[in-house]
Amino acid sequence: MAERNHRLFVMCTTALVAAAIHSPTLAQEAEEAATLGDIVVTAERRTTNVQTTAMAVSAFSAEALERSQVDNIEDLSQLVPNVNFGQQFGNARIAIRGVGFDTISPGSEARVAYHLDGVYISRPSAGLAGFYDVDRIEVLRGPQGTLYGRNATAGSVNIISRAPDETPDGYGRVTVGSHGRIETEGAFGGGLADGVAARFAFRSERRDGYGENLATGEDADNRDTLSGRFRLRAEPTDRLRMDLIADYHQEDDSSNALHYFGAGNPNRTPVGIAFGGRVSPNYHDIYSDVASTNERENWGVQGQIRYDLSDTLTLNSLTAYRETEYRTQTDLDATDAPLTYYGQHENADQFTQELQLSGEFGRVNFITGAYYFREDIDSGLTVPFNHRILGGADRIVQGQDIGGQTETRAWALFGQADYALTPDLKLVLGLRYSKEDKHLDEYAQFDLVRTYDPANPVIPNRTQSLDASWSAFTPKVTVEYQPADNLFLYGTVSRGFKSGGFNVGGMQQPFEPEMIWNYEAGLKADWLDRRLRTNLSAFYYDYSDLQVTKVVNNVITTVNAAAAMIRGVEGEINWLATDNLRFDASFSLTDSEYRDFATSDPARAGLGVIDLSGNQLSQAPGYTLFVAGQYDIPTETAGVFSPRVEVSATDKVYFNAFNRDVASQPAYTLVNLLVNWESPSGNWTASAFVRNLADEEYIASAFVGTSLLADPVVGVAGPPRTWGLTAGYRF
């Protein structure tokens, strides 16, 4: 695999360089026709055209998302090169270029930063909320250590909601489909007074489970959510703009059921099966004596103030407060043997304040600012189990109960400036200083005496208080070159930083920060009079002290691996073959490996310390591919019909550092079919769609469970084939 990907890496990098050298000869004359439009992004904290933005960024407008029936991060990941998605215990597991969220510890932090209207949202559970009434979504690939800073080691997902204006407008959509799906979405807004406008948006989704709990007859992996957002914008003068944004999201369903995928130890039978428990051969059905539940509530409010100090100088303030609460419960042995269950909870609140000063002076464009982050988390997990597991009586005891309160206080100073050396050549310099202070009060209970009762008080066997601080400089140096209007090249060296942290309830010392040095080159070009667009990038990561998680006995443990290397190429292609025929494609080729990393596998303790050097990183498939074709069929009286075919392919994915087949997902391919329709007036729309046409069975995430249960491999299954019909009206 590594040798093959190395050859592909060299070939694609050579092709990228050759394209840059010969680019002036590639432009061709084309007849007057439809062209690819400009895509405006704020990935660099200012408004730029994506074709002249010196980073690997994928941007999707509301129309593009509707065209592919994408309304969540899971579906979006199919469209973006080098993005892998899964979910576990109510958390989004997003990985970009093989760097992502791979821990099951409560209170953990992701490596992909998630931003809503410019505000960083710390909790990974927020990544599972659906998209609605968005202006666009931006996925930034690669470390964003200078402008975004906190936990943007892998990149950032930026959701920009639609702002209100004084012109009344809105829309409404209803979707019905397989598994009893009923989804509603809509928004309306307009002016309230001179210079004041408001907008309200909502989304709800209900559907039955993708499978059934065959032991109880209840749904497995159903969905029940409700979301709302209110935006108020006031522009009292030409220089001052103020935005108030409030949002709310709740869930109450069973979307976190654990499925059984095999034995993690080849020499042991998982306890659930050994004790007569049943497992389903169907990916989506389960046998569980415990009901799987997922209860979640997120809300937040933010205020943004923009003031133009002059025609070339702007001051921005972003202030936000958020609260997150969720509780999940699932069957840890993933059988109907009455042995154990797993419950996890998290209550968190965060406050952020960011000030930005941006402007331009002659050849210099700059942005500088200060950032403050405060978060308090109360998190933990509960694992009551049957004493039979340890050879005792048939009685459920209190078992394991761990948790604690984590306090984080972080601040940063940052700045970035670009200087036009010539009209075609630009130098960009950026630097961020980040400082984090964390405090933990934790407890751990292991109780084999008391019969389980959720009302029983926790009586800790151990408690511990820890304090830790980390800091880092994250620089960025970029050279931009634009020899022609249709051609843009860049080269970047940047650094990413993820602070250290705690394993809540593990009674361990803090694990250390991890760092990434990123070396990247890119080419963005429009050909054929803007009918063909090719955006390519090549990167190399020098990854040090990366944080790797495993379950040792009953304790979630994070260790710092010595080092890793990730390199790859990726691209996005859009082609208007004719006025009616469009093709979209994206691809990535990635070669990753651990270096100088040796540790023991809890599921195979008899092997001792294992050298993992050369192993592929988790959530780092060797390739991803997406290809879509759409043909518009206009009619004189019935509007425009647009059949669309989408194919996405993902190489083998390992879910931990040990690269064992039992905890992996082999390469798989998904096919989506859609037919979109728009009325002659443009007000009415409809869509018929089928996702995962071939009903491909695949694992979205998995882990090797505790040795107390003889190391079962459990996880979450990807969605089966689904279909639906959407009808909408916009005004």
Side-chain angles (χ1 to χ4, degrees), residues 214 260 279-287 697:
L214 300 176
Y260 177 83
V279 296
S280 172
N282 184 299
Y283 255 46
H284 302 288
D285 293 333
I286 61 173
Y287 277 100
E697 294 183 341

Side-chain angles (χ1 to χ4, degrees), residues 456-502:
N456 282 342
V458 175
I459 304 176
N461 303 108
R462 293 185 62 185
T463 60
Q464 180 175 249
S465 293
L466 294 171
D467 290 283
S469 297
W470 299 277
S471 62
F473 285 98
T474 48
K476 175 182 178 180
V477 179
T478 300
V479 177
E480 303 177 4
Y481 181 53
Q482 189 174 8
D485 289 342
N486 68 326
L487 181 64
F488 179 81
L489 300 96
Y490 69 91
T492 292
V493 178
S494 61
R495 193 188 196 202
F497 159 75
K498 182 177 184 292
S499 74
F502 309 112

Side-chain angles (χ1 to χ4, degrees), residues 494-514:
S494 61
R495 193 188 196 202
F497 159 75
K498 182 177 184 292
S499 74
F502 309 112
N503 281 311
V504 175
M507 300 299 151
Q508 304 165 245
Q509 291 302 301
F511 51 85
E512 295 302 311
E514 58 183 23

Side-chain angles (χ1 to χ4, degrees), residues 231-481:
R231 288 196 61 157
L232 180 68
R233 169 167 289 184
E235 298 182 85
T237 72
D238 291 340
R239 292 184 179 273
L240 178 62
R241 188 180 75 196
M242 298 179 291
D243 286 273
L244 177 66
I245 307 173
D247 66 273
Y248 176 81
H249 174 77
Q250 73 166 22
E251 298 180 29
D252 187 359
D253 49 43
S254 64
S255 59
N256 290 298
L258 286 182
H259 298 245
Y260 177 83
F261 294 129
N265 187 327
N267 300 315
R268 300 180 67 189
T269 300
V271 170
I273 296 176
F275 280 31
R278 294 173 292 177
V279 296
S280 172
N282 184 299
Y283 255 46
H284 302 288
D285 293 333
I286 61 173
Y287 277 100
S288 174
D289 60 294
V290 175
S292 294
T293 60
N294 169 49
E295 299 175 6
R296 183 189 320 272
E297 187 175 53
N298 306 324
W299 67 270
V301 60
Q302 60 177 280
Q304 301 184 12
I305 301 174
R306 174 191 170 102
Y307 185 69
D308 294 329
L309 300 172
S310 69
D311 292 341
T312 59
L313 200 61
T314 299
L315 179 66
N316 281 283
S317 171
L318 291 84
T319 307
Y321 177 81
R322 299 197 64 84
E323 288 192 6
T324 301
E325 180 178 352
Y326 83 81
R327 294 179 179 274
T328 65
Q329 175 182 288
T330 190
D331 193 341
L332 194 57
D333 61 88
T335 75
D336 62 345
L339 298 178
T340 185
Y341 81 81
Y342 180 98
Q344 184 168 305
H345 75 270
E346 181 179 283
N347 299 324
D349 63 81
Q350 71 168 66
F351 171 81
T352 58
Q353 173 63 56
E354 183 167 353
L355 293 173
Q356 303 171 3
L357 180 66
S358 60
E360 57 179 285
F361 294 102
R363 296 184 178 185
V364 177
N365 280 283
F366 75 91
I367 180 171
T368 185
Y371 177 78
Y372 175 75
F373 173 86
R374 175 195 61 77
E375 182 175 55
D376 296 311
I377 306 174
D378 181 356
S379 62
L381 60 86
T382 301
V383 188
F385 59 85
N386 197 314
H387 206 267
R388 291 177 62 201
I389 295 173
L390 299 179
D394 186 2
R395 180 170 62 97
I396 304 294
V397 295
Q398 286 293 127
Q400 184 181 34
D401 199 318
I402 65 173
Q405 291 76 42
T406 306
E407 299 176 359
T408 301
R409 305 291 183 267
W411 62 270
L413 298 173
F414 63 90
Q416 181 171 299
D418 55 75
Y419 178 73
L421 301 171
T422 72
D424 303 330
L425 185 64
K426 188 179 293 184
L427 176 66
V428 182
L429 300 175
L431 181 65
R432 188 184 191 101
Y433 175 75
S434 302
K435 179 73 161 58
E436 295 215 6
D437 299 315
K438 292 190 177 185
H439 174 78
L440 171 68
D441 291 314
E442 62 179 337
Y443 63 86
Q445 168 192 278
F446 196 75
D447 185 346
L448 302 179
V449 177
R450 290 183 295 167
T451 299
Y452 174 69
D453 185 333
N456 282 342
V458 175
I459 304 176
N461 303 108
R462 293 185 62 185
T463 60
Q464 180 175 249
S465 293
L466 294 171
D467 290 283
S469 297
W470 299 277
S471 62
F473 285 98
T474 48
K476 175 182 178 180
V477 179
T478 300
V479 177
E480 303 177 4
Y481 181 53

Side-chain angles (χ1 to χ4, degrees), residues 68-121:
S68 294
Q69 286 292 308
V70 168
D71 57 17
N72 57 63
I73 190 69
E74 182 173 14
D75 294 340
L76 181 69
S77 66
Q78 296 181 24
L79 281 61
V80 185
N82 239 335
V83 173
N84 183 258
F85 174 84
Q87 60 173 298
Q88 208 156 259
F89 297 134
N91 292 312
R93 292 168 55 94
I94 309 170
I96 299 177
R97 294 177 173 175
V99 181
F101 183 71
D102 57 359
T103 178
I104 58 175
S105 177
S108 298
E109 296 178 327
R111 297 179 176 97
V112 177
Y114 196 85
H115 292 85
L116 176 61
D117 292 314
V119 173
Y120 170 68
I121 299 177

